């Protein structure tokens, strides 16, 4: 099945391919921006094979991972312990509605290596904003133009200025956290 960015994600993941993993150290940097007073509930948009979703689960989060590719979700489920606080659902980020999610509000929403493939970023950012609890954190992890990754794979990169502006327009605040070859754009829903 093809999504709005004309990528065949099922085929990609069926070939046992995956994207770069987020290191434990990088995740610790991101989590330093999360309000520890909020209940640990995470939505991982574009979870792929679930590496980040599982890491957050092991750090005490109740997690929902969403991805379009059934093959990626099969892999994620096969690598996951059975737990009611860790679920995966199939969903197209171009059409996903908050009513498709098992919860209405999350204290943390992650989006790792996905934003470059989302066609309607305004709609996507609205979904993220509306799905965040007051004070919640939205973390967009992506390579940006000018990085070493973009020299080889420009199609997976975004403009740092553009994503900062889009997040700023929706959330009102943006912090950029360098994470090696990628950057994490962190925004919060105002209380």
């Amino acid at each position: 099945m093809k999504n709005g960015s004309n990528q065949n994600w099922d085929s990609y993941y069926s070939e046992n391919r995956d994207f770069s993993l987020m290191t434990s150290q990088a995740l610790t940097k991101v989590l330093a921006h999360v309000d520890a007073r909020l209940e640990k509930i995470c939505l991982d948009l574009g979870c792929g094979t679930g590496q980040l979703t599982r890491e957050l689960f092991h750090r005490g989060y109740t997690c929902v991972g969403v991805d379009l590719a059934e093959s990626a979700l099969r892999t994620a489920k096969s690598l996951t312990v059975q737990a009611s606080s860790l679920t995966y659902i199939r969903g197209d980020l171009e059409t996903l509605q908050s009513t498709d999610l098992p919860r209405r509000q999350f204290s943390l929403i992650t989006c790792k290596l996905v934003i470059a493939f989302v066609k309607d970023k305004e709609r996507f950012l609205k979904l993220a904003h509306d799905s965040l609890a007051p004070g919640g954190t939205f973390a967009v992890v992506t390579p940006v133009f000018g990085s070493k990754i973009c020299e080889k794979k420009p199609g997976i990169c975004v403009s740092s200025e553009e994503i900062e502006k889009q997040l700023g327009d929706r959330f009102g605040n943006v912090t950029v956290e360098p994470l090696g070859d990628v950057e994490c754009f962190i925004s919060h829903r105002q209380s």
Side-chain angles (χ1 to χ4, degrees), residues 23-145:
T23 66
S24 183
Q25 295 85 357
L27 182 55
T28 297
K29 282 184 175 182
V30 172
L31 294 178
H33 296 273
V34 175
D35 186 340
R37 298 170 296 181
L38 296 176
E39 185 178 4
K40 290 182 162 187
I41 304 171
C42 177
L43 174 62
D44 188 9
L45 294 169
C47 68
T49 59
Q51 180 262 339
L52 178 56
T53 317
R54 286 188 302 280
E55 180 70 24
L56 288 162
F57 167 76
H58 289 297
R59 291 188 185 215
Y61 280 83
T62 296
C63 295
V64 177
V66 179
D67 205 277
L68 176 65
E70 287 184 37
S71 55
L73 293 173
R74 273 193 303 276
T75 299
K77 290 174 183 176
S78 75
L79 296 172
T80 299
V81 297
Q82 294 286 12
S84 62
S85 57
L86 177 55
T87 57
Y88 296 100
I89 61 173
R90 186 167 185 264
D92 185 339
L93 300 182
E94 297 291 346
T95 59
L96 189 70
Q97 303 287 323
S98 60
T99 54
D100 298 328
L101 301 171
R103 308 179 80 75
R104 294 296 172 256
Q105 292 196 320
F106 299 84
S107 58
L108 173 63
I109 298 177
T110 57
C111 168
K112 179 181 75 94
L113 306 178
V114 171
I115 197 76
F117 301 102
V118 175
K119 280 185 149 184
D120 189 349
K121 289 179 180 52
E122 185 59 36
R123 186 196 163 289
F124 178 74
L125 295 176
K126 180 180 182 338
L127 170 71
H129 180 272
D130 294 350
S131 299
L132 271 178
T137 303
F138 182 43
V140 177
V141 178
T142 187
V144 296
F145 291 119

